[in-house]
Amino acid sequence: MEERQLVIGGFYKHFKDKLYQVRGIAYHSETKEKMVVYQALYGDYAMYVRPFDMFMSEVDHDKYPKVTQKYRFEQVILDNNSKNSNQTVLDAQEEKKNITAEQEGAVDERLLRFLDAESFNEKLNVLTYLKSDLDDNLIDAMAASMEVEVPDGSIDERYRSLRSVVMAHLKYECTRLQK
Protein backbone atom coordinates (compact mmCIF):
# COMPACT_ATOMS: atom_id res chain seq x y z
CA MET A 1 0.00 0.00 0.00
CA GLU A 2 1.39 3.41 -1.02
CA GLU A 3 1.83 5.83 1.86
CA ARG A 4 0.45 9.30 1.23
CA GLN A 5 2.89 12.19 1.43
CA LEU A 6 2.04 15.65 2.77
CA VAL A 7 3.31 18.48 0.56
CA ILE A 8 4.17 21.70 2.38
CA GLY A 9 2.71 24.54 0.29
CA GLY A 10 0.37 22.09 -1.44
CA PHE A 11 -3.31 22.80 -2.00
CA TYR A 12 -5.81 20.42 -0.44
CA LYS A 13 -9.56 20.04 -0.86
CA HIS A 14 -11.50 19.05 2.24
CA PHE A 15 -14.25 16.51 1.65
CA LYS A 16 -16.78 19.28 2.39
CA ASP A 17 -15.46 21.15 -0.70
CA LYS A 18 -13.38 23.91 0.88
CA LEU A 19 -9.85 24.66 -0.31
CA TYR A 20 -6.80 24.96 1.97
CA GLN A 21 -3.04 25.34 1.67
CA VAL A 22 -0.67 23.43 3.95
CA ARG A 23 1.69 25.91 5.58
CA GLY A 24 3.86 23.54 7.63
CA ILE A 25 4.24 20.90 10.29
CA ALA A 26 4.19 21.70 14.01
CA TYR A 27 4.56 19.64 17.15
CA HIS A 28 2.41 19.94 20.26
CA SER A 29 4.70 21.36 22.96
CA GLU A 30 3.46 18.99 25.66
CA THR A 31 2.62 15.74 23.85
CA LYS A 32 4.98 16.12 20.84
CA GLU A 33 2.05 15.09 18.61
CA LYS A 34 2.71 15.91 14.94
CA MET A 35 0.26 18.53 13.62
CA VAL A 36 -0.50 19.99 10.19
CA VAL A 37 -0.73 23.78 9.99
CA TYR A 38 -2.99 24.85 7.14
CA GLN A 39 -4.75 27.98 5.91
CA ALA A 40 -8.22 28.47 4.47
CA LEU A 41 -8.24 29.90 0.95
CA TYR A 42 -11.63 31.54 1.46
CA GLY A 43 -13.31 33.94 3.86
CA ASP A 44 -10.86 35.44 6.33
CA TYR A 45 -8.02 33.03 5.35
CA ALA A 46 -7.89 31.67 8.90
CA MET A 47 -5.06 29.37 9.99
CA TYR A 48 -5.84 25.96 11.45
CA VAL A 49 -3.97 23.10 13.06
CA ARG A 50 -5.04 19.46 13.02
CA PRO A 51 -3.32 16.24 14.10
CA PHE A 52 -1.30 14.82 11.20
CA ASP A 53 -2.99 11.41 11.33
CA MET A 54 -6.45 13.00 11.22
CA PHE A 55 -5.48 15.30 8.34
CA MET A 56 -4.24 12.32 6.31
CA SER A 57 -7.11 9.97 7.30
CA GLU A 58 -9.90 8.61 5.14
CA VAL A 59 -13.40 10.06 5.31
CA ASP A 60 -15.71 8.21 7.72
CA HIS A 61 -18.12 6.94 5.07
CA ASP A 62 -20.46 5.54 7.75
CA LYS A 63 -20.93 9.08 9.08
CA TYR A 64 -20.82 10.70 5.60
CA PRO A 65 -22.24 8.08 3.19
CA LYS A 66 -22.78 10.52 0.30
CA VAL A 67 -19.18 11.73 0.20
CA THR A 68 -17.26 10.34 -2.78
CA GLN A 69 -13.83 11.68 -1.80
CA LYS A 70 -11.66 8.93 -0.25
CA TYR A 71 -9.56 11.07 2.10
CA ARG A 72 -10.52 13.87 4.48
CA PHE A 73 -8.07 16.15 2.61
CA GLU A 74 -6.94 15.38 -0.93
CA GLN A 75 -4.20 17.29 -2.69
CA VAL A 76 -5.26 19.18 -5.81
CA ILE A 77 -3.59 21.25 -8.49
CA LEU A 78 -5.37 24.37 -9.68
CA ASP A 79 -5.19 25.31 -13.34
CA ASN A 80 -5.19 28.93 -14.52
CA ASN A 81 -8.94 28.85 -15.18
CA SER A 82 -9.90 27.74 -11.68
CA LYS A 83 -7.77 29.95 -9.43
CA ASN A 84 -9.29 30.41 -5.98
CA SER A 85 -12.01 27.85 -6.70
CA ASN A 86 -12.67 24.56 -4.96
CA GLN A 87 -12.50 22.61 -8.22
CA THR A 88 -10.24 19.57 -8.38
CA VAL A 89 -8.23 19.60 -11.58
CA LEU A 90 -5.77 16.72 -11.13
CA ASP A 91 -4.83 14.35 -8.37
CA ALA A 92 -1.36 15.61 -7.48
CA GLN A 93 -0.18 12.17 -6.44
CA GLU A 94 -0.49 10.96 -10.06
CA GLU A 95 1.27 14.00 -11.51
CA LYS A 96 4.15 13.86 -9.05
CA LYS A 97 5.05 10.16 -9.38
CA ASN A 98 8.30 10.99 -11.17
CA ILE A 99 9.28 13.98 -9.04
CA THR A 100 11.85 13.38 -6.33
CA ALA A 101 11.19 14.20 -2.70
CA GLU A 102 13.74 17.03 -2.92
CA GLN A 103 11.84 18.67 -5.76
CA GLU A 104 8.51 18.34 -3.93
CA GLY A 105 9.84 20.16 -0.88
CA ALA A 106 11.66 22.90 -2.77
CA VAL A 107 10.63 26.43 -1.93
CA ASP A 108 10.78 29.14 -4.59
CA GLU A 109 13.58 31.44 -3.44
CA ARG A 110 12.05 34.34 -5.39
CA LEU A 111 8.86 34.07 -3.37
CA LEU A 112 10.80 33.82 -0.11
CA ARG A 113 12.59 37.07 -0.92
CA PHE A 114 9.24 38.79 -1.39
CA LEU A 115 7.73 37.24 1.76
CA ASP A 116 10.79 38.07 3.87
CA ALA A 117 10.79 41.74 2.89
CA GLU A 118 10.27 43.74 6.07
CA SER A 119 8.64 46.77 4.46
CA PHE A 120 6.52 47.57 1.46
CA ASN A 121 9.46 49.49 0.04
CA GLU A 122 11.53 46.28 0.21
CA LYS A 123 8.67 44.32 -1.39
CA LEU A 124 8.58 46.86 -4.20
CA ASN A 125 12.34 46.52 -4.67
CA VAL A 126 12.12 42.71 -4.79
CA LEU A 127 9.22 42.85 -7.23
CA THR A 128 11.10 45.29 -9.48
CA TYR A 129 14.26 43.18 -9.32
CA LEU A 130 12.30 40.03 -10.28
CA LYS A 131 10.30 41.67 -13.08
CA SER A 132 11.99 39.75 -15.90
CA ASP A 133 11.79 36.45 -13.97
CA LEU A 134 8.08 36.47 -13.05
CA ASP A 135 5.50 33.87 -14.01
CA ASP A 136 1.79 33.50 -13.27
CA ASN A 137 2.33 31.19 -10.29
CA LEU A 138 4.80 33.54 -8.64
CA ILE A 139 2.54 36.56 -9.18
CA ASP A 140 -0.41 34.62 -7.75
CA ALA A 141 1.59 33.60 -4.67
CA MET A 142 2.83 37.15 -4.08
CA ALA A 143 -0.69 38.51 -4.48
CA ALA A 144 -2.11 35.86 -2.12
CA SER A 145 0.47 36.84 0.50
CA MET A 146 -0.98 40.36 0.35
CA GLU A 147 -4.55 39.00 0.33
CA VAL A 148 -5.36 40.36 -3.13
CA GLU A 149 -6.09 38.78 -6.48
CA VAL A 150 -4.34 39.98 -9.62
CA PRO A 151 -6.57 39.82 -12.71
CA ASP A 152 -5.69 37.54 -15.61
CA GLY A 153 -3.71 39.03 -18.47
CA SER A 154 -0.18 39.17 -19.79
CA ILE A 155 2.71 38.89 -17.33
CA ASP A 156 3.44 42.61 -17.84
CA GLU A 157 -0.17 43.56 -17.08
CA ARG A 158 -0.22 41.33 -14.00
CA TYR A 159 3.16 42.72 -12.85
CA ARG A 160 1.84 46.30 -13.16
CA SER A 161 -1.31 45.37 -11.25
CA LEU A 162 0.64 43.78 -8.38
CA ARG A 163 3.11 46.67 -8.39
CA SER A 164 0.19 49.10 -8.04
CA VAL A 165 -1.04 47.19 -5.00
CA VAL A 166 2.39 47.26 -3.35
CA MET A 167 2.72 50.98 -4.12
CA ALA A 168 -0.70 51.69 -2.61
CA HIS A 169 0.34 49.87 0.56
CA LEU A 170 3.59 51.82 0.57
CA LYS A 171 1.72 55.10 0.23
CA TYR A 172 -1.19 54.49 2.63
CA GLU A 173 0.09 51.92 5.11
CA CYS A 174 3.75 52.84 5.22
CA THR A 175 4.19 52.28 8.97
CA ARG A 176 2.31 48.99 9.23
CA LEU A 177 5.33 46.72 8.65
CA GLN A 178 7.88 48.89 10.39
CA LYS A 179 9.31 47.61 13.68
Side-chain angles (χ1 to χ4, degrees), residues 15-32:
F15 73 92
K16 292 182 180 175
D17 282 334
K18 296 289 187 179
L19 192 61
Y20 300 88
Q21 184 175 25
V22 171
R23 308 302 279 177
I25 297 290
Y27 294 90
H28 190 288
S29 63
E30 300 289 324
T31 67
K32 306 301 182 213

Side-chain angles (χ1 to χ4, degrees), residues 118-119 173-179:
E118 293 185 6
S119 69
E173 299 180 23
C174 59
T175 60
R176 186 172 176 194
L177 290 180
Q178 293 178 352
K179 293 179 180 180

Side-chain angles (χ1 to χ4, degrees), residues 129-142:
Y129 176 77
L130 294 173
K131 181 179 180 183
S132 63
D133 197 28
L134 294 174
D135 58 38
D136 285 321
N137 290 334
L138 184 57
I139 289 173
D140 289 339
M142 289 174 168

Side-chain angles (χ1 to χ4, degrees), residues 19-109:
L19 192 61
Y20 300 88
Q21 184 175 25
V22 171
R23 308 302 279 177
I25 297 290
Y27 294 90
H28 190 288
S29 63
E30 300 289 324
T31 67
K32 306 301 182 213
E33 181 179 12
K34 188 176 184 178
M35 308 287 231
V36 177
V37 180
Y38 59 106
Q39 183 174 21
L41 297 179
Y42 61 89
D44 63 357
Y45 294 84
M47 298 285 282
Y48 297 95
V49 63
R50 181 184 297 253
F52 180 86
D53 291 340
M54 183 186 287
F55 189 94
M56 300 299 283
S57 70
E58 291 188 20
V59 173
D60 180 348
H61 286 93
D62 292 333
K63 188 173 178 181
Y64 301 100
K66 294 182 180 180
V67 172
T68 58
Q69 188 166 306
K70 181 176 181 178
Y71 295 103
R72 180 180 299 271
F73 289 88
E74 289 188 358
Q75 190 177 9
V76 297
I77 294 180
L78 303 178
D79 69 8
N80 288 336
N81 296 323
S82 65
K83 285 182 224 152
N84 298 323
S85 75
N86 294 340
Q87 180 179 38
T88 301
V89 178
L90 294 171
D91 183 332
Q93 300 297 46
E94 291 298 318
E95 183 178 341
K96 291 187 176 186
K97 279 184 181 173
N98 298 322
I99 298 177
T100 65
E102 282 181 12
Q103 289 170 319
E104 284 184 12
V107 177
D108 190 327
E109 293 297 323

